[in-house]
Amino acid sequence: MAEDEPQYASRVKIHPQRIAGAFRRLKWLVLAAIMVLYYGLPWLRWDRGPGTPNQAILADMTGRRLFFFEIEIWPQEIYYLTGLLIAGAVALFLITALAGRVWCGFTCPQTIWTDLFMLVERWVEGDRNKRLKLDQAPFSLNKLWRRTVKHSIWLLIALVTGGAWIMYFVDAPTVTVDFFTGQASSTIYGFTALFTATTYVLAGLAREQVCTYMCPWPRFQGAMFDEHSLIITYEAWRGEPRGKAREKVKDQLGDCVDCSLCVNVCPTGIDIRDGQQMQCIGCALCIDACNSIMKKLDRPPNLIAYDSIANMNARAEGQPTSTRLLRPRIIAYSVSLLLILGLMTYGLSARSNLEINLQRDRSPLFVTLSDGNIRNGYTLKILNMERRDRVFRLSIEKLPETFISVIGYEKEGAPAVDLPVKADSVGTFRVFVRVPPDRLNAASTDMEFMLRDLENGDVADQHTFFYGPKQ
Ligand code: SF4
Ligand code: SF4
């Protein structure tokens, strides 16, 4: 780069032109489905019995639980969420390796809401040429009312979008009433304002800049592609040399008539004929655009197409094309995804409604009592994941002649202690285990905390060590 060359260029506002076609219809369908799901899901009810939220999908912040239909995730089980995120990432790798940036072009919230905002813009200000003229026109009443209406509708959509996001964290019907009657907390109003502003800025003002400059995904999604991945391709072998239709001299020009429609419809303002670019979100609107021109000119479709580099090269050389789904990376992603989902499903189906969490005292490791016995201290947490109060019998296994005392329950020490834990809660207990010194034959001895539900016999255990003086 030359020293005097500026390193900053102002953004050129992009005014994509309206285009009809198969991919545009598919994009509207996906947009409608995602809108229905996003705005509708918080209103879906799910009966979990008395005293529990009846919202099908809820990240209950006050109750510190995640509810997804019949599944309930406790804070201690947050690894399921991690697993879900990893599965989502691997699924994204797999889809990208198979079909390019379909996530970006069809389902990413940034694309969906930008599409919606652009639709409003087109309704209010007209298609590309009218918008370009309006942009350049001096201030007038016409410009004022169009801009006012556009931004008002954008703000309204942003408010509904931000508000709907809040409903995934609090009961939807309750928070809606509270919100409009002024009874919601300042946190609710604050977060709604934040998400409204975020939606308005990202989908209305920043648009393609989010994909080009802010999102990390375009920067490394190229690593998931291979020559058999489907991407948006310009079949240059067929299109070049380009030239206006009227200038076409048989056998001298390619099929591209240089009409620029593919550039005009592009939401990121690029020219796909320049080859694959990071800015291309794979929305396929340039395919619709070019196909409409090819149809008018009675030429074969798919000069711009969903194609793989391998097939494009094969076509250019007149070779037969092929679809290779079973490639090493596809197999690796699929196996990893199945493994993660399989492990999560097994974990969820086999998980117990009872869990122990044990922390031993580290300082001091042990205490020698006046009667010569050795004592270790522990903090025991019992997770009762059932909706009934339960009583658990705590005993020690593997180390004989132990006596347990629990602060508030058994002061003198006994071989076993009964501990009550309220329904759907965590019971925390300070536990001391006492052992005669002649029972210890090493500085640390294996032992197990054993917990048994006195009503249904459910058991949970936790291995630990008992520490004493060096033998
Ligand atoms: S080049 Fe085509 S597929 Fe890529 S973003 Fe532009 S219109 Fe969409
Ligand atoms: S729409 Fe098709 S014909 Fe028109 S410029 Fe683009 S590639 Fe060429």
Side-chain angles (χ1 to χ4, degrees):
M1 185 180 283
E3 257 180 39
D4 53 352
E5 202 174 315
Q7 297 190 11
Y8 172 80
S10 302
R11 178 198 181 203
V12 178
K13 195 173 172 196
I14 296 163
H15 288 287
Q17 185 172 334
R18 180 185 169 276
I19 189 69
F23 287 108
R24 182 62 270 184
R25 277 195 297 281
L26 180 62
K27 274 170 72 68
W28 286 138
L29 267 177
V30 174
L31 183 145
I34 288 181
M35 294 275 149
V36 168
L37 285 176
Y38 176 72
Y39 294 118
L41 277 177
W43 297 90
L44 202 62
R45 303 290 98 186
W46 195 262
D47 187 9
R48 298 187 180 89
T52 45
N54 66 346
Q55 190 159 308
I57 300 174
L58 180 70
D60 183 4
M61 290 305 187
T62 37
R64 300 174 71 219
R65 301 288 153 75
L66 277 178
F67 295 98
F68 185 80
F69 296 91
E70 204 51 43
I71 300 172
E72 184 178 332
I73 305 288
W74 283 53
Q76 293 82 356
E77 298 175 308
I78 206 71
Y79 46 81
Y80 285 117
L81 206 61
T82 314
L84 201 63
L85 289 176
I86 296 172
V90 178
L92 199 55
F93 296 168
L94 175 63
I95 290 167
T96 307
L98 280 171
R101 291 179 70 179
V102 281
W103 159 261
C104 302
F106 290 81
T107 47
C108 171
Q110 175 62 25
T111 301
I112 297 279
W113 266 266
T114 300
D115 243 10
L116 184 66
F117 275 51
M118 282 181 183
L119 181 68
V120 171
E121 190 172 58
R122 212 160 38 236
W123 280 343
V124 180
E125 296 182 348
D127 205 1
R128 175 182 158 84
N129 288 342
K130 283 190 177 164
R131 295 204 304 274
L132 280 166
K133 266 192 203 149
L134 193 71
D135 261 10
Q136 286 154 12
F139 179 78
S140 67
L141 210 57
N142 175 45
K143 194 167 180 171
L144 178 69
W145 84 256
R146 284 184 196 277
R147 289 276 147 92
T148 311
V149 171
K150 178 179 84 174
H151 287 283
S152 306
I153 301 177
W154 279 2
L155 275 171
L156 191 67
I157 297 174
L159 174 68
V160 176
T161 308
W165 185 241
I166 300 287
M167 292 176 195
Y168 284 91
F169 297 87
V170 277
D171 184 62
T174 313
V175 78
T176 307
V177 173
D178 288 355
F179 189 90
F180 288 108
T181 52
Q183 294 171 53
S185 66
S186 54
T187 315
I188 298 284
Y189 288 117
F191 274 105
T192 307
L194 177 71
F195 297 138
T196 302
T198 318
T199 311
Y200 174 79
V201 170
L202 297 186
L205 308 181
R207 297 185 175 182
E208 81 290 344
Q209 296 183 97
V210 176
C211 312
T212 308
Y213 302 114
M214 292 165 67
C215 179
W217 180 234
R219 270 150 192 87
F220 61 84
Q221 44 93 26
M224 279 107 222
F225 291 153
D226 59 25
E227 57 171 0
H228 295 283
S229 306
L230 284 179
I231 51 169
I232 310 287
T233 55
Y234 167 64
E235 314 271 326
W237 60 274
R238 195 189 126 189
E240 302 296 320
R242 66 186 79 157
K244 297 289 176 201
R246 61 178 180 279
E247 298 164 9
K248 182 169 164 62
V249 181
K250 201 170 184 315
D251 299 332
Q252 284 187 12
L253 292 177
D255 276 339
C256 174
V257 291
D258 211 11
C259 63
S260 294
L261 189 60
C262 53
V263 182
N264 292 349
V265 301
C266 178
T268 64
I270 58 165
D271 187 342
I272 191 67
R273 294 171 301 169
D274 294 342
Q276 249 191 297
Q277 292 148 75
M278 192 193 72
Q279 294 93 326
C280 174
I281 57 168
C283 69
L285 293 181
C286 51
I287 301 182
D288 280 346
C290 193
N291 279 348
S292 72
I293 298 294
M294 292 299 111
K295 195 172 173 196
K296 269 188 209 152
L297 298 174
D298 205 18
R299 292 178 189 179
N302 297 331
L303 176 57
I304 301 177
Y306 248 122
D307 205 355
S308 65
I309 299 286
N311 279 349
M312 190 175 73
N313 291 340
R315 273 196 197 88
E317 289 162 15
Q319 304 287 328
T321 57
S322 64
T323 306
R324 263 193 66 199
L325 286 181
L326 286 181
R327 287 130 49 198
R329 71 179 60 210
I330 301 292
I331 295 170
Y333 293 146
S334 306
V335 169
S336 314
L337 186 60
L338 286 176
L339 213 63
I340 297 166
L341 291 179
L343 279 174
M344 283 177 63
T345 312
Y346 173 76
L348 280 171
S349 57
R351 72 178 181 162
S352 158
N353 283 340
L354 167 65
E355 254 185 47
I356 301 185
N357 188 309
L358 190 66
Q359 258 188 328
R360 66 178 333 286
D361 291 356
R362 300 200 175 275
S363 180
L365 270 179
F366 64 90
V367 171
T368 305
L369 300 175
S370 55
D371 59 4
N373 286 339
I374 310 298
R375 194 183 77 180
N376 280 197
Y378 304 84
T379 301
L380 172 70
K381 287 191 178 178
I382 303 173
L383 274 69
N384 174 13
M385 299 188 204
E386 285 193 9
R387 302 199 194 290
R388 63 179 175 93
D389 294 353
R390 296 163 86 181
V391 180
F392 299 99
R393 176 151 299 166
L394 173 68
S395 58
I396 301 294
E397 304 278 315
K398 291 189 175 168
L399 189 58
E401 282 191 52
T402 48
F403 289 91
I404 308 167
S405 41
V406 179
I407 292 182
Y409 293 88
E410 179 57 67
K411 288 199 174 63
E412 299 308 317
V417 180
D418 292 347
L419 302 172
V421 182
K422 290 254 175 249
D424 210 16
S425 63
V426 182
T428 304
F429 305 93
R430 278 291 292 151
V431 180
F432 295 103
V433 179
R434 182 158 49 88
V435 179
D438 55 356
R439 288 288 159 203
L440 305 172
N441 46 23
S444 76
T445 311
D446 281 320
M447 70 171 192
E448 232 165 50
F449 271 59
M450 175 67 75
L451 214 57
R452 184 181 302 277
D453 183 329
L454 289 181
E455 197 176 317
N456 64 9
D458 270 2
V459 290
D461 53 23
Q462 170 88 56
H463 175 267
T464 186
F465 291 99
F466 190 95
Y467 287 94
K470 282 202 173 90
Q471 299 293 314

